[in-house]
Amino acid sequence: MKLTFLYLACLTMLLGISCNQLSGEEQRFDALMQEVIDVHDEVMPKMGEISTLIKYLDPKIDTTQVGQSHARAQQDLKDAYDFMMKWMSDFSDKFPHDPDNEKMSSEKLSSQMKLLEEEKIEVNKLKDKINSSISNAKKLLEKS
């Protein structure tokens, strides 16, 4: 009797665990989502640096050729900052937080996966824009 109960308990646990397992497509979705979030998390702390560099460039802008290069660098920083704000807003519209963690239908998962692949490309463009604008601004500030 005890052995039968033990087998039933183990079987119930195994069924419960297997029902909670994510499908392969759900696992790929979660992994891709984590990649996108990781890139965002990598560049988000640089937003403060962008703001600081914008302020440092401001007094160096004038009508000279050097002053205009500072203006372009400042605009690149502002564009990168705006790109981040727009990307975050668009991303949260496309992938709203689901506190209930409802399971998506196969069709919805497939369409969300396509969107997420596009977002991965976009967030990597964002990363490149942020990093290049910061690098360029720092080089200009070091020269002046």
Side-chain angles (χ1 to χ4, degrees):
M1 181 72 167
K2 288 182 183 180
L3 195 56
T4 304
F5 178 73
L6 183 60
Y7 285 134
L8 285 174
C10 288
L11 181 61
T12 302
M13 277 184 24
L14 287 173
L15 283 174
I17 290 171
S18 67
C19 289
N20 287 331
Q21 293 293 322
L22 296 175
S23 72
E25 192 170 0
E26 289 170 321
Q27 288 176 350
R28 285 189 301 278
F29 179 85
D30 287 349
L32 185 55
M33 177 65 80
Q34 191 58 54
E35 284 180 50
V36 170
I37 296 301
D38 287 347
V39 173
H40 165 268
D41 291 349
E42 177 186 336
V43 294
M44 187 63 193
K46 296 179 180 185
M47 299 307 283
E49 184 176 9
I50 287 176
S51 295
T52 300
L53 288 168
I54 288 170
K55 289 177 189 171
Y56 286 160
L57 287 168
D58 207 36
K60 299 187 179 291
I61 295 172
D62 57 29
T63 57
T64 66
Q65 186 176 5
V66 173
Q68 290 305 299
S69 65
H70 285 92
R72 282 189 297 280
Q74 186 185 56
Q75 188 60 52
D76 285 347
L77 290 165
K78 288 177 180 179
D79 291 346
Y81 189 94
D82 291 344
F83 189 5
M84 172 63 104
M85 294 301 121
K86 182 169 178 4
W87 180 85
M88 288 189 309
S89 176
D90 290 347
F91 187 81
S92 64
D93 288 345
K94 292 175 187 174
F95 302 96
H97 178 64
D98 182 10
D100 298 330
N101 203 15
E102 290 183 26
K103 193 168 180 147
M104 286 187 262
S105 69
S106 180
E107 270 182 28
K108 180 162 177 135
L109 184 60
S110 180
S111 72
Q112 288 291 89
M113 190 71 163
K114 288 177 187 172
L115 277 176
L116 195 53
E117 288 168 354
E118 292 169 8
E119 288 304 313
K120 181 180 177 185
I121 293 167
E122 197 70 11
V123 79
N124 280 307
K125 287 180 187 176
L126 171 64
K127 175 183 170 181
D128 293 342
K129 176 82 171 153
I130 287 172
N131 288 335
S132 66
S133 66
I134 288 173
S135 176
N136 183 45
K138 283 181 174 181
K139 285 178 189 172
L140 280 174
L141 287 168
E142 286 173 4
K143 290 179 183 178
S144 55

